[in-house]
Amino acid sequence: GVPALIAATGRNDLYYTLTSVALLSIISGGVWLTFYIGRINIGQGAFALLGGYVSAVLVTAYGISFWLTLPVAGLVCALASVLIGLPILRLRGVYFAMVTLTLTEVMRLLALAVPITNGAKGIVSIPLPGGVSLFGLTLIPDFATLENRRLAFYLASVVLMVLCFG
């Protein structure tokens, strides 16, 4: 469907847009969940930032496979959310929203201040995810060898979205 339409238009930049839409819909699911339980949480960006930097640092500084860094980043974010979230959950209404918004800003400023993130320059030259094989069967291809990486990232984000939302 979608890849054929994009190929027909010749606008490969649409892959980036659609990948962003798919990934942002996963984040929107988290926002919906907090609204559903009666909270206005504006702190998801803090944990997205933390997870992204944990993964990027592990890949670039320590040479760990991108696919192995994903669960590690998730666990780090889960631990941080428990440590930070338990005291915050005592707050109600607008105070909860204000503290979670402040948390996002604190994490952004912290990312700019610590040396391992390279400040405003950020982490550059992050290698593309490698392949994953199980018993000789390729489960995930090596992104560096793909002809159309944008399509691969789009398909991966759509699969992730389907797995998260069913």
Side-chain angles (χ1 to χ4, degrees):
V2 172
L5 291 173
I6 292 175
T9 64
R11 294 211 34 217
N12 285 336
D13 60 316
L14 292 175
Y15 283 121
Y16 174 78
T17 303
L18 293 173
T19 301
S20 296
V21 167
L23 294 175
L24 288 172
S25 67
I26 295 169
I27 295 169
S28 298
V31 173
W32 173 83
L33 179 64
T34 58
F35 283 176
Y36 184 76
I37 64 171
R39 304 285 179 144
I40 300 174
N41 182 3
I42 313 170
Q44 287 92 343
F47 299 107
L49 179 141
L50 178 63
Y53 270 115
V54 165
S55 181
V57 166
L58 290 175
V59 168
T60 57
Y62 299 102
I64 298 174
S65 166
F66 168 77
W67 302 111
L68 295 176
T69 67
L70 289 181
V72 172
L75 289 173
V76 168
C77 289
L79 179 64
S81 67
V82 168
L83 292 174
I84 295 169
L86 286 177
I88 293 175
L89 281 174
R90 296 181 183 169
L91 300 173
R92 300 279 182 242
V94 70
Y95 302 107
F96 182 80
M98 289 176 8
V99 168
T100 58
L101 177 62
T102 303
L103 171 65
T104 302
E105 185 62 14
V106 166
M107 290 296 285
R108 185 186 72 82
L109 293 173
L110 184 64
L112 289 173
V114 295
I116 199 163
T117 63
N118 290 331
K121 292 178 187 175
I123 298 175
V124 295
S125 301
I126 300 173
L128 290 169
V132 175
S133 296
L134 184 64
F135 304 117
L137 176 67
T138 301
L139 301 175
I140 301 171
D142 184 355
F143 278 62
T145 62
L146 295 177
E147 184 178 323
N148 191 345
R149 293 182 194 125
R150 291 182 174 131
L151 173 61
F153 278 112
Y154 168 71
L155 293 175
S157 64
V158 168
V159 167
L160 184 61
M161 182 177 63
V162 169
L163 290 175
C164 288
F165 294 121

